[in-house]
Amino acid sequence: MLNGDAEPLTVASGLTIRLGIGAGIGISGGLLLGFVLKQAQFLSEDLKALVVLAGLWGMYGLAQMIQSESGLMATVAAGIVLRASSVPEERLLRRFKGQLTILAVSVLFILLAADLSIAGVLALGWGGLLTVLTLMLVVRPINVWICTWNSDLNWRQKLFMSWISPRGIVSASVASLFAILLTQRGINGGDSIKALVFLTIILTVVLQSLTAQSMANFLQVTSQEATGAVIVGCNSLSLLIARFFTDRDEPVTLIDTAPEARKLAEEENVRIFINSALDAEVLEEAGLGRMGTFLAMTNNGEVNLVIAQQAAEEFRPPRVLAVFPRDPQAEANTSKLKIRQAFVPQLSVKDWSQYITSGAVKLGETILQEDEFEARQAHLKGLIEEGTLAILLVERERVLQVIPADEPWQVGDRLIYLMHDPTPKLLKLLSGSSQTSLKPEKLPEVEKVPVPQTTPEMAVEVLEEK
């Protein structure tokens, strides 16, 4: 409209020039920034963030000087290249970027909305409202489903994205810029464009953002429904737990510092990182931000607690569990961060891993029925207190989770457990035991709930009550 020339070839060439100049400056600047951040050891973490910010401002200004409207492409290209460069302390840079984004968006919304005329919004009438509803209910869902066609998102996640997909400050800023430029050139319609964009923002915030939580709960796409697990510590027990998740096609990643752990994990086809779980970069690369469960189960309970605390503070996964010793001070710290003790109290990862390796365990499963719930629960707790039984997993409403030590059991729960069986292997073979590959089965020792015997004293008490 401003150039007076809307020929397709002219528009395409102008867009290509702007994108090309912006991409060239952004790629070159991103490579230079990545090199500086890797080599400049004298820069502190705070200075690195400021260097990146100054570099982006410089690239944006240079691109704008050469060709107007190419600065945005320069910053986008620089960000892509910088991310691919794997610069150190990248997590801190993203955190700094997030803080700047919140500040900038908050300020811009106030400044842009202050120039908005309410009369201009009302002047749009029913046609403006119908346009916004079409964008919300037709255009945006089509856009999301096309863009996620080959992704691993399920239909519920796509539908949720269609309901709350990004919108807001970018469109508001561009619309305000257009309104200013069109008004300066004496062309009508700029205020109507800005009013329509702000009407879209207002309706989506009121209608979609306020119902986002309810929609997420309805579609079951909240973080509590997140699947998969990151497990710290590669041993026979953790590999057994990982196998249950992988059998359900849920992603599992192991982290261990021992080089020999790689072979154990590869034999079970489980992804593993040979590195320290105290490194937040390792946890991020392991995919903790997308997993539903974090479990620290090395042989050292104190280390497990420290690792779990860091994971909870940095990534806040829905479920954080660790094997750690009972300690009042530790329990106070874990309750604040929502860290729960895994399995049963005072479980020894080393002992149970040794039991599995030596074949001195049975893998069982049981379903808690309503008619014998109390008796079965008391029987299981008795076996746990004896140290002969360790409950590992609970399946509730078709969701498999690592069971916390303080988790109250419910009717219908499917409990998967290990039972210590010190019987020698030869005797097991002679007796016809089928537990050779550790597949869960119903064990008579657990399924048969003992009937409490009545002593003479108990009989007297019953007669007296009658």
Side-chain angles (χ1 to χ4, degrees):
M1 293 177 66
L2 297 182
N3 294 336
D5 187 357
E7 291 294 329
L9 183 60
T10 303
V11 174
S13 62
L15 181 62
T16 303
I17 292 173
R18 285 169 170 80
L19 294 179
I21 292 176
I25 294 176
I27 293 173
S28 302
L31 292 173
L32 180 60
L33 267 180
F35 177 79
V36 171
L37 293 177
K38 289 180 179 180
Q39 301 299 325
Q41 302 296 331
F42 59 89
L43 291 176
S44 65
E45 296 176 358
D46 295 334
L47 286 179
K48 287 181 180 179
L50 295 178
V51 167
V52 172
L53 181 61
L56 289 176
W57 278 340
M59 283 181 276
Y60 180 86
L62 179 61
Q64 287 289 110
M65 288 175 58
I66 297 175
Q67 178 66 55
S68 64
E69 302 175 18
S70 62
L72 180 61
M73 184 61 192
T75 58
V76 172
I80 294 174
V81 172
L82 199 61
R83 173 66 179 88
S85 301
S86 300
V87 298
E89 306 297 339
E90 179 187 319
R91 177 176 51 87
L92 299 177
L93 290 177
R94 285 206 303 271
R95 180 181 296 179
F96 178 68
K97 184 270 300 181
Q99 295 171 346
L100 286 181
T101 300
I102 294 175
L103 177 62
V105 169
S106 302
V107 173
L108 278 176
F109 258 125
I110 295 174
L111 294 178
L112 297 177
D115 192 41
L116 179 66
S117 172
I118 299 299
V121 176
L122 297 177
L124 296 174
W126 291 105
L129 181 61
L130 181 61
T131 302
V132 174
L133 292 177
T134 304
L135 290 173
M136 294 168 55
L137 304 177
V138 179
V139 176
R140 182 175 297 154
I142 293 176
N143 181 27
V144 169
W145 282 79
I146 291 177
C147 292
T148 59
W149 184 264
N150 288 325
S151 70
D152 56 355
L153 300 177
N154 57 44
W155 68 269
R156 294 192 303 271
Q157 294 168 330
K158 293 180 180 180
L159 187 59
F160 182 71
M161 289 181 61
S162 301
W163 187 246
I164 54 96
S165 60
R167 74 277 176 190
I169 193 61
V170 174
S171 56
S173 302
V174 174
S176 299
L177 175 63
F178 288 170
I180 294 173
L181 294 177
L182 291 175
T183 302
Q184 289 176 349
R185 301 293 181 91
I187 301 176
N188 294 326
D191 290 336
S192 298
I193 294 176
K194 184 168 67 173
L196 183 61
V197 171
F198 271 91
L199 180 62
T200 304
I201 295 172
I202 292 171
L203 287 180
T204 52
V205 168
V206 172
L207 178 60
Q208 294 176 306
S209 297
L210 293 181
T211 59
Q213 183 65 56
S214 300
M215 181 65 70
N217 294 335
F218 175 74
L219 295 174
Q220 297 181 346
V221 293
T222 62
S223 61
Q224 296 301 321
E225 280 78 34
T227 60
V230 172
I231 304 176
V232 180
C234 181
N235 47 63
S236 300
L237 185 58
S238 62
L239 289 172
L240 176 63
I241 295 172
R243 194 183 76 192
F244 279 96
F245 283 101
T246 55
D247 287 345
R248 300 169 71 95
D249 294 327
E250 296 187 21
V252 178
T253 303
L254 293 175
I255 302 176
D256 202 300
T257 56
E260 57 270 18
R262 184 182 300 277
K263 182 179 180 181
L264 297 175
E266 290 176 350
E267 290 176 354
E268 296 289 338
N269 294 323
V270 179
R271 185 184 182 209
I272 187 171
F273 286 86
I274 304 299
N275 214 319
S276 173
L278 293 172
D279 188 348
E281 299 291 342
V282 176
L283 294 177
E284 183 174 3
E285 191 175 356
L288 182 55
R290 304 182 300 272
M291 299 293 191
T293 301
F294 177 82
L295 173 62
M297 52 179 304
T298 67
N299 294 334
N300 192 318
E302 286 75 12
V303 172
N304 294 337
L305 188 56
V306 173
I307 295 174
Q309 288 175 343
Q310 177 170 331
E313 292 173 352
E314 293 284 343
F315 297 91
R316 299 187 180 277
R319 295 173 291 277
V320 181
L321 301 101
V323 178
F324 58 88
R326 283 288 186 184
D327 179 49
Q329 183 177 0
E331 292 179 3
N333 295 332
T334 55
S335 61
K336 296 178 182 178
L337 297 173
K338 298 182 179 180
I339 300 173
R340 306 179 71 178
Q341 190 176 42
F343 312 128
V344 297
Q346 304 298 340
L347 180 134
S348 174
V349 174
K350 182 178 181 180
D351 291 345
W352 282 96
S353 296
Q354 182 61 37
Y355 294 158
I356 297 174
T357 304
S358 61
V361 292
K362 293 180 180 179
L363 182 62
E365 63 176 359
T366 185
I367 298 178
L368 301 180
Q369 304 291 346
E370 185 175 4
D371 54 349
E372 56 176 9
F373 179 75
E374 297 296 337
R376 177 66 57 82
Q377 184 173 232
H379 179 50
L380 290 174
K381 289 183 177 180
L383 295 174
I384 293 174
E385 292 176 358
E386 294 175 2
T388 60
L389 188 113
I391 299 179
L392 305 179
L393 303 164
V394 57
E395 183 178 1
R396 182 178 298 163
E397 297 179 356
R398 293 182 294 181
V399 177
L400 186 69
Q401 295 183 12
V402 177
I403 188 167
D406 58 352
E407 178 74 11
W409 302 339
Q410 300 179 13
V411 175
D413 284 351
R414 174 179 173 242
L415 303 179
I416 300 174
Y417 59 87
L418 281 176
M419 190 167 192
H420 183 210
D421 181 20
T423 307
K425 291 184 178 180
L426 180 59
L427 292 180
K428 292 180 183 179
L429 294 175
L430 293 176
S431 62
S433 175
S434 60
Q435 285 277 337
T436 56
S437 59
L438 280 185
K439 295 182 179 179
E441 63 180 15
K442 296 185 180 299
L443 302 180
E445 300 93 326
V446 174
E447 296 301 316
K448 187 177 180 180
V449 180
V451 179
Q453 297 181 356
T454 305
T455 62
E457 292 79 5
M458 295 174 61
V460 172
E461 291 180 0
V462 172
L463 290 175
E464 289 179 349
E465 290 178 0
K466 291 183 177 181

